[in-house]
Amino acid sequence: MISEMGREFNAHIQINADRRGIEFIFDSDRLFNRQVGGVQLTGKQMEDLNAGRAIFVEDMKRKDGEVFSSFVKLDESIGKPTYTRFNPDTPEGAREIYVPKEMGGVALTAGDRAQLREGRPVFIEHDQPQGGGILLVCQAGSV
């Protein structure tokens, strides 16, 4: 395309019903260019997000400094990312869910996390004044 000043440029054209006009969207204006929640994204992650696919991002930081992990997907209707504890691209009956690295102050192993994702209970040995441990159970939709 050629601008009013006679310069050539590349952009996507979009009709904005709210503003009742045409918008130009430049590649540099794409929402996911470099990072999400302070986490540097890989080229593959940026490509997936910009293509409308969900990705899993660990150790993002909220504005208050709290660290969290989540599936992230661009909601094209509002032009902002959405954060969920399940992968919105997986079928509803077999949702891939997020299981945190730690529950109840106890670090989970990769095996523990895999079992919880499958809906199986996990017993975690935990130092408590009265001894014992913690039984963790994760059901789809409950995280």
Side-chain angles (χ1 to χ4, degrees):
M1 292 181 265
I2 307 226
S3 72
E4 292 176 350
M5 300 179 75
R7 295 185 186 150
E8 191 172 314
F9 69 96
N10 292 318
H12 298 274
I13 298 175
Q14 172 178 302
I15 296 175
N16 185 323
D18 291 335
R19 296 183 184 167
R20 299 176 186 232
I22 295 174
E23 294 179 331
F24 295 98
I25 301 173
F26 299 93
D27 284 337
S28 61
D29 291 339
R30 305 282 313 242
L31 182 60
F32 299 107
N33 278 325
R34 292 171 198 82
Q35 61 180 344
V36 172
V39 175
Q40 187 71 32
L41 300 179
T42 66
K44 174 75 170 124
Q45 287 176 315
M46 289 186 291
E47 180 182 315
D48 286 348
L49 282 173
N50 286 319
R53 292 185 289 272
I55 64 166
F56 184 71
V57 182
E58 288 190 292
D59 301 327
M60 292 181 283
K61 286 190 180 178
R62 299 185 197 281
K63 290 179 182 177
D64 65 2
E66 180 185 356
V67 175
F68 72 106
S69 299
S70 177
F71 287 94
V72 181
K73 185 171 183 171
L74 176 62
D75 183 339
E76 294 182 17
S77 65
I78 60 173
K80 293 186 178 184
T82 57
Y83 302 89
T84 62
R85 291 185 175 256
F86 62 88
N87 184 344
D89 293 342
T90 55
E92 192 165 329
R95 291 260 193 227
E96 178 185 357
I97 60 172
Y98 160 67
V99 177
K101 294 178 184 177
E102 170 181 301
M103 285 188 174
V106 178
L108 300 176
T109 66
D112 293 339
R113 293 171 74 190
Q115 286 182 351
L116 288 169
R117 270 189 217 96
E118 293 169 4
R120 294 187 288 163
V122 173
F123 183 77
I124 305 292
E125 295 280 338
H126 184 53
D127 292 330
Q128 296 178 351
Q130 52 285 77
I134 300 172
L135 179 64
L136 300 173
V137 180
C138 181
Q139 296 175 343
S142 67
V143 252

